[in-house]
């Protein structure tokens, strides 16, 4: 049974009534219950629902561009009026895009409820060109702020919330910690966020974890920027960046330099959402598994979360990183998908009751 951590009794009762999945026993798939196995297998096991996107490129203040993929859900029976159709902004993980299976499942869940979705693809990884020598990181929220402002300006009367996965969840938490209540978002859902980047990279540098995850993730990061090498070579020693063998080395040579940090430790401190959790000003539900090697259980800020009435943590003993597989053959819905669906529906249809119960 998951551990529900929330200091606000009203928020707890709201979740128990309208998002009961967070109080149900989670039974991981028996033949792949271990966290690393769940993490490795989910992309291969889970289905990929068909989603038809409408792409939009928006310009940024520095001359760059951001790719947004819209699922307009114009056939929505529950919300036929597009101006008031609830909207969910989705933030994928570190090298993820709108094509990730977990994003497709979130959109499928939202579509059945009649909602509209828009996926925020980080700069340069969804096929669009880099117009400036700048990509993205977990600490810098400028692009996310621009996207939230843009989406809200298009549909100012529509209920609006966001969900972030892994680094997308870290970015969303850092944004919420910065803005407090000054955001058009009603609420947010966070899945498998890395709470303390120092602890995350240390865990990923253990020999087996480096072999299974760290090296592959580093090559994915390098691949995401190699297409833009000509643009980036003006500012970076790309040969050195391409020699990185860990995420920490990549961040030291590339990410921290790009965003003007004096040291990589300065960047990792700024990127860690645990340091901004007290300032979050809207209801946020966070799902983590304590066996997640990307976000080890001892680094989850349980005591800090108890100091903010807006925060609820749901902690499972198994599930890995963006895993949460359940059932004998977990092709379709995962525990994470069910938490997402119930919480989004609870916010959009009963959100006024979160702090008034």
């Amino acid at each position: 049974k998951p551990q529900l951590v929330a200091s606000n009794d009203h928020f707890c009762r709201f979740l128990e009534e309208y998002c009961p999945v967070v109080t149900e026993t989670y039974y991981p798939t028996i033949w792949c219950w271990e966290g690393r196995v769940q993490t490795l297998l989910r992309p291969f096991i889970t289905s990929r629902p068909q989603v038809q996107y409408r792409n939009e490129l928006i310009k940024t203040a520095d001359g760059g561009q951001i790719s947004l993929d819209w699922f307009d859900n114009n056939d929505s029976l529950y919300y036929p009026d597009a101006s008031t159709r609830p909207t969910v902004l989705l933030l994928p993980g570190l090298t993820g895009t709108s094509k990730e299976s977990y994003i497709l499942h979130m959109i499928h869940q939202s579509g059945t409820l009649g909602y509209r979705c828009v996926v925020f693809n980080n700069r340069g990884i969804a096929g669009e060109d880099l117009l400036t020598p700048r990509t993205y990181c977990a600490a810098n929220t400028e692009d996310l702020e621009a996207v939230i402002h843009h989406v809200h300006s298009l549909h100012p009367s529509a209920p609006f919330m966001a969900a972030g996965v892994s680094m997308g969840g870290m970015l969303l938490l850092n944004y919420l910690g910065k803005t407090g209540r000054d955001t058009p978002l009603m609420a947010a859902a966070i899945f498998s966020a890395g709470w303390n980047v120092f602890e995350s990279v240390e865990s990923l540098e253990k020999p087996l974890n480096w072999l299974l995850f760290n090296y592959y993730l580093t090559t994915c990061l390098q691949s995401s920027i190699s297409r833009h090498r000509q643009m980036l070579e003006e500012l970076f020693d790309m040969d050195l960046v391409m020699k990185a063998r860990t995420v920490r080395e990549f961040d030291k040579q590339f990410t921290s330099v790009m965003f003007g940090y004096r040291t990589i430790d300065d960047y990792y401190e700024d990127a860690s959402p645990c340091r901004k959790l007290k300032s979050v000003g809207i209801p946020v539900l966070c799902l983590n598994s304590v066996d997640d090697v990307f976000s080890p259980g001892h680094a989850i800020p349980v005591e800090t979360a108890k100091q903010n009435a807006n925060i609820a943590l749901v902690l499972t003993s198994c599930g890995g990183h963006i895993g949460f597989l359940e059932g004998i053959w977990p092709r379709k819905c995962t525990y994470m998908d069910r938490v997402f669906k119930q919480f989004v529906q609870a916010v959009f249809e009963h959100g006024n009751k979160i702090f008034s119960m």
Side-chain angles (χ1 to χ4, degrees), residues 56-67 123 131 143 146-147 150:
E56 179 187 19
L57 294 174
I58 65 170
K59 293 291 188 281
T60 59
D62 70 328
Q65 64 181 359
I66 301 169
S67 174
R123 291 198 202 193
L131 302 183
D143 283 358
V147 168
H150 174 73

Side-chain angles (χ1 to χ4, degrees), residues 55-276:
N55 183 255
E56 179 187 19
L57 294 174
I58 65 170
K59 293 291 188 281
T60 59
D62 70 328
Q65 64 181 359
I66 301 169
S67 174
L68 302 179
D69 281 320
W70 289 84
F71 171 72
D72 294 302
N73 206 7
N74 288 326
D75 297 326
S76 173
L77 298 177
Y78 302 110
Y79 300 94
D81 183 356
S83 67
T84 56
R85 186 176 303 143
T87 304
V88 187
L89 174 64
L90 300 176
L91 287 72
L94 183 59
T95 58
T97 68
S98 58
K99 297 177 183 177
E100 305 304 322
S101 63
Y102 56 83
I103 293 292
L104 297 174
H105 276 273
M106 287 180 168
I107 290 175
H108 176 72
Q109 302 278 12
S110 301
T112 61
L113 297 170
Y115 307 148
R116 168 175 49 224
C117 293
V118 54
V119 185
F120 166 38
N121 297 296
N122 285 302
R123 291 198 202 193
I125 63 169
E128 83 284 7
D129 292 329
L130 276 186
L131 302 183
T132 60
R134 169 175 166 166
T135 55
Y136 59 93
C137 76
N140 190 290
T141 63
E142 292 172 2
D143 283 358
L144 178 57
E145 291 170 38
V147 168
I148 289 174
H149 174 76
H150 174 73
V151 173
H152 181 60
S153 68
L154 292 177
H155 308 286
S157 300
F160 187 23
M161 68 173 292
V165 181
S166 192
M167 194 212 78
M170 297 165 64
L171 182 64
L172 183 53
L173 283 165
N174 286 330
Y175 160 80
L176 294 173
K178 177 181 177 181
T179 58
R181 293 184 180 180
D182 187 20
T183 173
L185 299 176
M186 298 172 59
I190 310 292
F191 301 99
S192 295
W195 289 97
N196 185 316
V197 183
F198 296 99
E199 298 290 345
S200 294
V201 294
E202 185 174 330
S203 173
L204 287 170
E205 286 169 358
K206 293 178 180 178
L208 183 56
N209 294 340
W210 178 85
L211 188 66
L212 293 175
F213 305 110
N214 200 330
Y215 180 69
Y216 173 73
L217 192 57
T218 305
T219 60
C220 287
L221 286 165
Q222 291 165 330
S223 177
S224 72
I225 63 172
S226 62
R227 191 169 65 86
H228 312 289
R229 182 166 183 145
Q230 190 173 356
M231 169 72 73
L232 297 169
E233 275 179 331
E234 300 173 13
L235 298 179
F236 301 95
D237 182 344
M238 293 299 289
D239 289 333
L240 194 59
V241 173
M242 291 301 177
K243 289 178 182 176
R245 290 295 173 265
T246 66
V247 172
R248 192 197 299 262
E249 289 176 7
F250 180 89
D251 285 338
K252 182 178 181 179
Q253 301 296 341
F254 185 78
T255 315
S256 61
V257 177
M258 171 172 284
F259 288 93
Y261 290 96
R262 190 174 57 85
T263 67
I264 188 173
D265 285 356
D266 290 341
Y267 165 52
Y268 280 173
E269 184 168 344
D270 200 23
S272 298
C274 62
R275 303 177 188 277
K276 303 181 180 72

Side-chain angles (χ1 to χ4, degrees), residues 21 26 42 101-103 105-106 109 164-166 189-192 287 316 319-326 333-343:
V21 66
Y26 162 55
R42 173 171 177 156
S101 63
Y102 56 83
I103 293 292
H105 276 273
M106 287 180 168
Q109 302 278 12
V165 181
S166 192
I190 310 292
F191 301 99
S192 295
L287 174 65
T316 61
H321 187 70
I322 327 176
F324 302 101
L325 300 173
E326 56 186 357
C333 197
T334 69
Y335 180 76
M336 172 179 141
D337 297 328
R338 294 196 292 129
V339 171
F340 168 81
K341 183 176 182 179
Q342 287 191 16
F343 184 64

